[in-house]
RNA sequence: GGGCGAGUGGCGGAAUGGCAGACGCGCCGGCCUUAGGAGCCGGUGUCCCGUGAGGGACGUGUCGGUUCGAGUCCGACCUCGCCUACCA
């Protein structure tokens, strides 16, 4: 009835059987065009020197170039891009860099399998992933890209390593690593099954003592426990705190007792967090790796002990520490003397004691430690109770170890300390030991120094030269980088080809000039990711790792986004590096990331982690081809809370697609030429034109207020829902007399601006057409200012008040907005339904909740 | 074993202690169509009463508590997920 005459807003509507048709929303036509245009204009090349605007450093964890990004990568990066665009609309100079974590095992494995160079494999993948990332329409600052396998980057790994070495923060030490007789050293995750077999050849993996490079992260243990000044999720802070595992206690010295085969008097140091239980120590246990095992073992026990130690070496710590396994161990035929009471107690070797924690030896107090209790039961050793709640029988048998810590415990069977409160005895015993040189207060950490050596080719070569005369000598700074040789001679197994590369290996000692050999270990890739965000600020800088001026202006990172799986690895190492680099005078901050957000993980449709081997990977390219990037972006944001993730299910993506189609028609065809609907161009029943106009305005501004808050809180799913509601309202008015009026126009404008950070292409297209239709010069929607809420528009003249009787909803009533409580009560108490619910009872109390949001009548 | 988090329709999920189930999917009915896997309109927690308009009861893993009022706060338990794993 009203559909003839005008042409469509675009001017492109073609006459079609008496109707003009609006061009359909076709993302495939729009998206690449705008991506190219943004690129051309350099819309997102951040000017790092522009100080006219406040800076915002937005960082998202760089991907490992495995060949294909899956939908999980988009799940991280899409909202991150929306944050960047949102912040820009607030006038920030936003820096959102991207790069590639390009060293690492998968490249090497693929290289071995396909007989190609890891570099070729990696660079081809990077090229592919660049295209994929661009297809998202994300605003990455490509000009600042960092690729870690590029010598321009990794030479600074080497430079930093040399500085660490000079400061004693890097050191070399011999330790046990997993070793396969065919393939050499293995990473922990390459050892499979409880029977410890090599993932590639299936051979039994052993422990082998090898010289390894370490970083002294433990020097920073206490500082790393302090999370002051950073806004990180609790779970990450808790995990790091537990990982560092600070434990306060005492180191106690036990002397060995003289025996037929040993003069005795050797010191056995142990760490205990319970010095108050010292009188209950009834035996000692050494880790199989303990250096004194050999010297202390009695000749008649030697064969058995050596067999046990050898067998323990075939287990990993994880396996050894498994609580499922029954305790094992053997007596070594020697005794130690308890310093507090002079008692002689037997010494065992058992693998439930770790060589790498504390001193590698413990005093065993079975009465007050579950593990010791279990061991004592197994080997029929005495259990002496020394701490107990007041008023308990000190000689009663224990059914299990008593490990409780209450304030009301007393010492028993503890010589001169008997009867003392346990909490006080703790300190008194430490003091007593200290006076006699038999102990001191001590702190131990679970955290160990970071092993950065990898016996692998595809990583940053550790810049050290081994000379028989001078030892391990760092490569001179002006001789860096030590380049990774380009030609790789793999022999079909996982050994490190650097070990056979004579040209690489043979070198003159930097110190004495004599013949020497290069270190062939390469660095853990976490070394790269521990400082890469500093490098983004000056990726090409040739005379230093970081640009101090840029670092000063731009760090710390304002917002970091990425997965929680890095809680205790990457995120802890990064904090350590920042502090270590601060102490080298390279950076000024102590914390790298001011605010951290961990998004959830997208799993495969089967609920398992997405991986090629499981065949449950969702390819984003396919989805983009079918629905367009904006739809995929918006769908990922709409699925649920960002920190939640969940199994991938494309069900429902059609709803998001429908929403964008609807936005398209609202903007381009307000009059409803292409309606195809059944509303007949009529306003909703009972609604006047004035009602509709005010409703559009109030809804638009209320949406703006709420959506702004959602953007701030990263609540994408409700943000999208609210924009859907607004578009549903406008859609209802499309083709009616209010479509195209100023209130309509304002609502459309707000809708586009609010949607722009999340769905950048369609909004840019529609914005440009509106601007053109109005005869105005073009300016990108993405450089517009975020609109301001008009609070006055939100206020309504009436409101609906729910009425409860004793907390149960009974009625609702529409009243004038400014009504007083008293007036409201009168209205409420005259309602039929309310009277019926009261049943003649007198109101005891009337509650006006939430500033008149609800009335509750209480009766007895 | 320890730590953290989560349990709401058929599904994904909403809800500063104040109308549970926003928004979307799916499903049902209708309109428009030569056609519909397009578009549009309406309905959709469960049970009960009523021919009907409508009305009522129940309902956020279980049990208890605090409160005028609890999905939300507190306690205990159950289930699931993630991290961690004999750290002396």
């Amino acid at each position: 009835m009203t559909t003839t005459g005008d042409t469509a807003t675009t001017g492109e509507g073609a006459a079609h059987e008496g109707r003009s048709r609006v061009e359909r929303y076709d993302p495939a036509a729009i998206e690449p065009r705008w991506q190219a245009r943004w690129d051309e204009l350099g819309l997102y090349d951040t000017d790092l020197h522009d100080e006219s605007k406040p800076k915002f450093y937005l960082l998202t964890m760089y991907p490992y170039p495995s060949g294909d990004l899956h939908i999980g990568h988009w799940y991280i990066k899409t909202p991150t891009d929306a944050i960047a665009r949102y912040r820009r609309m607030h006038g920030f100079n936003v820096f959102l860099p991207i790069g590639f974590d390009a060293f690492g095992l998968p490249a090497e494995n693929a290289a071995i399998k396909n007989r190609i160079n890891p570099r070729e494999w990696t660079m081809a993948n990077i090229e592919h992933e660049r295209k994929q990332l661009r297809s998202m329409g994300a605003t990455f600052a490509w000009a600042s890209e960092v690729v870690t396998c590029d010598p321009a980057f990794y030479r600074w790994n080497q430079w930093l390593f040399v500085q660490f070495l000079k400061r004693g923060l890097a050191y070399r030490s011999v330790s046990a690593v997993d070793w396969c007789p065919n393939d050499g050293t293995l990473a922990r995750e390459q050892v499979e099954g409880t029977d410890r077999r090599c993932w590639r050849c299936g051979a039994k993996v052993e422990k082998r003592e090898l010289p390894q490079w370490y970083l002294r992260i433990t020097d920073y243990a206490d500082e790393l426990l302090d999370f002051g000044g950073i806004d990180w999720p609790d779970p990450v802070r808790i995990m790091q705190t537990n990982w560092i595992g600070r434990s306060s206690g005492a180191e106690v010295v036990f002397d060995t007792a003289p025996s037929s085969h040993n003069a005795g008097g050797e010191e056995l140091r142990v760490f205990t967090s319970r010095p108050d239980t010292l009188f209950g120590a009834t035996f000692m246990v050494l880790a199989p790796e303990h250096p004194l095992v050999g010297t202390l073992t009695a000749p008649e026990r030697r064969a058995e002990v050596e067999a046990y130690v050898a067998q323990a070496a075939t287990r990993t710590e994880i396996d050894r520490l498994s609580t499922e396994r029954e305790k094992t161990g053997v007596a070594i035929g020697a005794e130690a003397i308890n310093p507090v009471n002079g008692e002689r107690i037997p010494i065992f070797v058992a693998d439930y004691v770790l060589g790498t924690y504390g001193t590698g030896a413990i005093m065993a107090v079975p009465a007050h430690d579950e593990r010791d209790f279990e061991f004592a039961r197994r080997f029929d050793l005495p259990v002496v109770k020394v701490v107990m709640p007041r008023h308990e029988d000190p000689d009663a048998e224990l059914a299990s170890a008593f490990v409780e810590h209450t304030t009301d415990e007393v010492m028993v069977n503890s010589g001169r300390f008997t009867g003392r409160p346990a909490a006080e005895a703790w300190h008194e015993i430490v003091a007593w030991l200290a006076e006699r040189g038999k102990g001191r207060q001590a702190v131990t950490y679970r955290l160990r120094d970071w092993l950065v050596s990898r016996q692998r080719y595809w990583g940053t070569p550790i810049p050290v030269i081994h000379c028989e005369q001078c030892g391990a000598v760092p490569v001179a700074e002006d001789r860096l980088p030590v380049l990774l040789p380009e030609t790789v001679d793999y022999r079909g197994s996982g050994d490190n080809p650097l070990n056979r590369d004579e040209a690489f290996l043979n070198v003159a000692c930097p110190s004495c000039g004599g013949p020497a050999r290069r270190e062939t270990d390469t660095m853990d890739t976490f070394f790269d990711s521990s400082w890469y965000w500093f490098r983004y600020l000056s990726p090409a800088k040739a005379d230093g790792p970081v640009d101090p001026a840029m670092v000063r202006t731009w760090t710390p990172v304002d917002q970091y986004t990425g997965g929680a799986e890095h809680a205790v690895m990457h995120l802890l190492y990064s904090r350590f590096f920042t502090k270590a680099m601060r102490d080298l005078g390279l950076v000024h901050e102590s914390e790298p990331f001011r605010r951290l957000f961990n998004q959830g993980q997208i799993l495969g449709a089967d609920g398992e982690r997405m991986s090629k081997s499981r065949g449950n990977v969702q390819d984003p390219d396919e989805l983009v081809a079918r629905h367009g990037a904006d739809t995929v972006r918006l769908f990922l944001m709409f699925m649920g809370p960002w920190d939640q993730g969940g199994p991938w299910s494309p069900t429902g993506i059609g709803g998001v697609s429908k929403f964008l189609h609807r936005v398209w028609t609202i903007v381009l065809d307000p009059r409803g030429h292409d309606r195809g609907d059944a509303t007949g161009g009529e306003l909703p029943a009972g609604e006047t034109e004035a009602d509709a106009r005010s409703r559009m305005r109030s809804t638009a501004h209320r949406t703006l207020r709420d959506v702004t808050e959602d953007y701030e809180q990263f609540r994408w799913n409700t943000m999208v829902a609210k924009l859907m509601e607004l578009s549903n309202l406008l859609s209802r008015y499309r083709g009616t007399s209010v479509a195209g009026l100023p209130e309509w126009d304002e609502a459309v404008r707000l809708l586009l601006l609010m949607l722009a950070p999340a769905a950048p292409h369609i909004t840019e297209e529609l914005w440009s057409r509106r601007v053109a239709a109005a005869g105005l010069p073009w300016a990108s929607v993405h450089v517009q200012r975020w609109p301001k809420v008009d609070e006055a528009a939100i206020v309504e003249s009436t409101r609906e008040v729910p009425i409860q009787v004793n907390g149960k909803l009974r009625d609702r009533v529409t009243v004038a907005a400014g009504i007083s409580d008293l007036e409201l009560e009168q209205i409420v108490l005259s309602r039929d339904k309310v009277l019926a619910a009261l049943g003649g009872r007198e109101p005891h109390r009337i509650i006006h909740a939430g500033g008149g949001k609800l009335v509750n009548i209480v009766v007895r």
Side-chain angles (χ1 to χ4, degrees):
Chain A
M1 59 189 86
T2 59
T3 55
T4 50
D6 306 355
T7 51
T9 315
T10 56
E12 292 173 29
H16 183 73
E17 298 190 23
R19 274 186 160 186
S20 42
R21 292 216 159 241
V22 172
E23 169 194 356
R24 273 181 66 80
Y25 168 49
D26 179 10
I30 294 169
E31 292 175 351
R33 200 175 72 225
W34 282 113
Q35 285 163 17
R37 186 84 190 276
W38 295 331
D39 247 16
E40 241 170 69
L41 296 171
L43 208 53
Y44 305 114
D45 295 340
T46 310
D47 178 0
L48 294 173
H49 298 278
D50 176 5
E51 290 183 19
S52 67
K53 293 183 258 180
K55 68 98 181 178
F56 192 83
Y57 191 163
L58 177 59
L59 184 69
T60 184
M61 292 178 186
Y62 63 175
Y64 179 81
S66 61
D68 275 297
L69 296 177
H70 57 71
I71 200 68
H73 292 96
W74 278 55
Y75 188 68
I76 305 167
K77 288 171 176 55
T78 293
T80 304
D81 180 53
I83 297 168
R85 292 174 182 273
Y86 174 81
R87 287 277 153 202
R88 274 193 204 95
M89 291 175 83
H90 280 81
F92 286 90
N93 190 23
V94 175
F95 184 43
L96 173 60
I98 188 79
F100 294 93
D101 185 17
F103 272 137
L105 260 183
E108 206 161 341
N109 297 334
I112 292 164
K113 197 169 157 196
N114 308 322
R115 296 268 162 187
I116 61 162
N117 188 294
R119 175 171 301 278
E120 285 172 32
W121 183 86
T122 303
M123 295 314 286
N125 288 344
I126 287 176
E127 200 39 56
H128 180 61
E129 292 189 14
R130 281 185 186 128
K131 285 201 187 94
Q132 288 188 297
L133 286 168
R134 280 172 190 274
S135 77
M136 281 173 52
T139 59
F140 293 119
W142 286 103
S144 303
E145 186 194 55
V146 161
V147 176
T148 57
C149 67
D150 183 345
F153 178 81
Y154 74 69
R155 72 172 288 188
W156 299 109
N157 276 347
Q158 295 173 340
W159 186 88
L160 285 167
F161 188 90
V162 171
Q163 309 309 310
F164 290 161
L165 209 52
K166 285 181 181 168
R167 289 201 129 227
L169 273 179
Y171 66 96
R172 195 163 183 243
S173 159
V174 175
S175 76
V177 297
D178 292 313
W179 176 270
C180 164
N182 302 320
D183 292 343
T185 54
L186 298 172
R188 204 169 91 173
E189 58 273 19
Q190 294 164 345
V191 181
E192 293 182 331
T194 45
D195 58 344
R196 317 281 312 137
R197 289 183 181 278
C198 172
W199 66 328
R200 195 173 289 120
C201 69
K204 265 235 188 251
V205 170
E206 324 160 3
K207 284 280 184 187
R208 207 173 255 210
E209 296 283 314
L210 285 174
Q212 301 279 289
W213 291 97
Y214 292 85
L215 297 186
R216 226 179 270 284
I217 189 173
T218 52
D219 275 10
Y220 290 87
D222 278 321
E223 202 187 338
L224 289 167
L225 285 169
D226 176 10
F227 295 89
I230 55 176
D231 178 12
W232 282 26
D234 282 342
V236 177
R237 299 210 307 237
I238 291 165
M239 273 192 251
Q240 291 201 354
T241 302
N242 292 342
W243 186 262
I244 294 165
R246 187 179 198 275
S247 173
S248 175
E251 197 173 288
V252 183
V253 181
F254 284 66
D255 290 332
T256 57
S259 70
S260 55
H261 63 277
N262 199 305
E266 295 235 45
E267 289 192 344
L268 273 179
R269 291 174 179 277
V270 301
F271 174 78
T272 177
S273 61
R274 293 293 304 276
D276 52 326
T277 64
L278 192 45
F279 284 85
T282 54
F283 58 102
M284 294 191 75
V285 185
L286 306 184
E289 302 86 355
H290 197 283
L292 291 179
V293 169
T295 50
L296 294 180
T297 300
E300 69 274 17
R301 308 288 309 154
R302 189 158 299 277
E304 199 185 337
V305 168
E306 280 176 359
Y308 182 80
V309 169
Q311 185 232 6
T314 65
R315 301 202 162 101
T316 57
E317 273 176 25
I318 294 197
D319 187 25
R320 273 169 57 176
L321 299 184
S322 162
T323 35
E324 308 299 305
R325 211 167 57 97
E326 259 201 279
K327 298 263 178 297
T328 60
V330 293
I332 65 168
E335 289 178 322
I337 299 167
N338 189 334
V340 287
N341 55 15
E343 277 179 24
R344 293 168 68 122
I345 55 176
I347 304 172
F348 287 78
V349 54
D351 65 7
Y352 82 90
V353 171
L354 304 173
T356 46
Y357 182 78
T359 61
I362 63 160
M363 63 176 210
V365 184
H368 304 291
D369 183 286
E370 282 166 15
R371 298 151 296 179
D372 298 345
F373 186 85
E374 197 190 321
F375 193 85
R377 273 282 163 88
R378 189 98 200 284
F379 292 87
D380 207 19
L381 297 158
V383 176
V384 178
K385 189 156 69 171
V386 291
V387 176
M388 62 165 208
R390 265 178 220 284
H391 318 303
E392 212 175 69
D393 177 7
D395 298 318
E397 195 143 315
L398 282 168
S400 61
F402 175 74
V403 295
E404 252 88 328
H405 266 300
T406 65
T407 48
D408 196 35
E409 285 165 12
V410 291
M411 306 291 292
V412 290
N413 300 323
S414 294
R416 73 190 68 73
F417 299 99
T418 298
R420 301 286 303 142
E424 289 170 34
W426 197 103
H427 296 281
E428 289 162 5
I429 291 178
V430 174
W432 188 92
L433 289 167
E435 274 169 37
R436 287 155 185 77
K438 289 295 174 189
R440 60 185 175 85
Q441 190 157 354
V443 172
T444 299
Y445 302 88
R446 209 188 78 118
L447 181 72
R448 297 171 204 171
D449 278 339
W450 173 13
L451 196 166
V452 291
S453 304
R454 294 291 179 272
Q455 292 72 44
R456 291 287 159 186
Y457 161 76
W458 190 234
T460 304
I462 290 176
V464 168
I465 291 165
H466 296 286
C467 168
E468 289 207 6
Q469 305 303 317
C470 314
V473 183
V475 174
E477 285 169 30
D478 59 5
R479 305 299 294 270
L480 295 178
V482 175
L483 286 172
L484 202 53
E486 288 287 319
T487 49
V488 196
D489 171 26
Y490 280 119
R491 295 205 177 145
S493 66
D495 67 344
N496 183 351
L498 292 178
N499 286 323
R500 290 188 307 273
D501 188 328
E502 295 299 325
F504 176 79
L505 281 172
N506 296 315
V507 64
C509 170
S511 176
C512 69
R517 285 169 79 80
R518 272 192 204 283
E519 172 64 67
T520 57
D521 281 358
T522 54
M523 294 181 197
D524 183 358
T525 55
F526 280 118
F527 200 105
D528 310 322
S529 55
S530 294
W531 69 285
Y532 74 112
W533 68 94
F534 288 123
R535 189 65 184 172
Y536 277 142
L537 295 165
S538 53
K541 189 175 169 64
D543 59 354
V546 300
D547 180 325
M550 286 293 98
V551 164
R552 185 157 288 278
T553 321
W554 281 90
T555 63
V557 167
D558 294 281
Q559 176 71 59
Y560 196 22
T561 62
E565 65 272 20
H566 291 111
V568 289
M569 307 283 273
H570 163 56
L571 290 169
L572 190 63
Y573 296 147
S574 295
R575 294 181 64 219
F576 159 56
F577 255 60
T578 303
K579 294 169 200 302
M581 288 173 74
R582 174 202 62 200
D583 292 344
L584 290 172
L586 294 166
V587 305
H588 60 289
E589 291 281 342
S590 297
E591 288 291 346
F593 317 124
R594 185 167 287 161
R595 211 170 155 213
L596 172 70
F597 187 90
N598 291 131
Q599 87 290 339
Q601 195 168 26
I602 297 287
L603 306 170
D606 52 5
E608 301 288 330
R609 194 175 294 237
M610 269 193 199
S611 74
K612 273 185 189 167
S613 56
R614 285 202 182 87
N616 60 357
V617 172
Q618 174 61 52
D619 174 18
D621 298 0
E622 193 185 294
L623 290 167
V624 171
R626 184 139 31 128
H627 304 279
D630 282 339
T631 296
V632 176
R633 289 172 61 114
L634 219 49
F635 178 60
L636 289 170
M637 297 173 95
F638 186 57
M639 278 173 43
W642 197 22
D643 59 0
Q644 205 167 289
W648 169 255
S649 162
T651 318
I653 195 167
V656 171
S657 176
K658 191 151 84 179
F659 163 59
L660 289 181
H661 274 94
R662 186 173 270 208
V663 170
W664 181 268
T665 0
I666 288 168
V667 178
L668 295 186
D669 185 28
R671 290 289 158 75
H673 294 108
D674 192 30
R675 246 193 5 269
D677 62 28
T679 57
E682 303 289 340
L683 288 173
E687 210 168 289
T688 65
E689 203 171 281
D691 290 340
R693 294 173 74 161
S694 110
R695 191 165 158 210
M696 283 192 290
R697 218 173 118 66
S698 66
T699 305
H701 280 274
R702 196 178 322 104
T703 304
L704 174 59
R705 183 190 64 195
D706 296 347
V707 160
T708 303
E709 190 53 29
D710 284 347
Y711 266 102
E712 293 289 338
Q713 305 294 326
F714 307 159
R715 286 192 299 240
W716 316 117
N717 56 330
T718 52
M719 179 272 284
V720 175
K722 283 159 195 164
L723 293 181
M724 284 174 167
E725 283 184 80
L726 177 58
S727 82
N728 288 346
L729 180 78
L730 291 175
S731 180
R732 178 62 191 81
Y733 289 140
R734 199 169 66 91
T736 71
S737 57
V738 298
L741 295 181
E743 291 83 356
W744 163 279
D745 221 53
E746 184 188 15
V748 165
R749 186 173 157 273
L750 293 182
L751 175 62
L752 289 180
L753 290 171
M754 287 187 276
L755 187 57
H761 308 89
I762 186 175
T763 46
E764 185 76 301
E765 177 71 19
L766 292 174
W767 186 263
S768 79
R769 293 195 189 202
R770 266 170 61 89
V771 162
L776 297 167
W778 179 78
S780 169
V781 70
H782 302 297
V783 302
Q784 303 301 315
R785 290 308 291 253
W786 191 255
K788 291 227 178 341
V789 179
D790 181 356
E791 295 287 346
I794 300 174
V795 178
E796 310 235 23
S797 58
T798 60
R799 63 188 159 91
E800 195 183 48
V801 182
I803 305 166
Q804 295 181 339
V805 175
N806 280 348
K808 278 194 197 306
L809 183 74
R810 294 299 176 188
D811 196 8
R812 22 179 142 233
V813 61
T814 302
V815 298
I819 194 170
S820 73
D821 285 0
L822 209 63
E823 289 171 293
L824 182 56
E825 279 179 25
Q826 281 174 356
I827 295 170
V828 162
L829 290 174
S830 66
R831 305 279 297 179
D832 288 348
K833 284 184 186 170
V834 173
L835 292 172
L838 289 177
R841 293 170 297 181
E842 275 300 304
H844 170 65
R845 208 177 138 193
I846 297 177
I847 289 161
H848 296 263
K853 209 154 85 180
L854 172 146
V855 172
N856 188 14
I857 304 164
V858 185
V859 293
R860 301 209 206 227

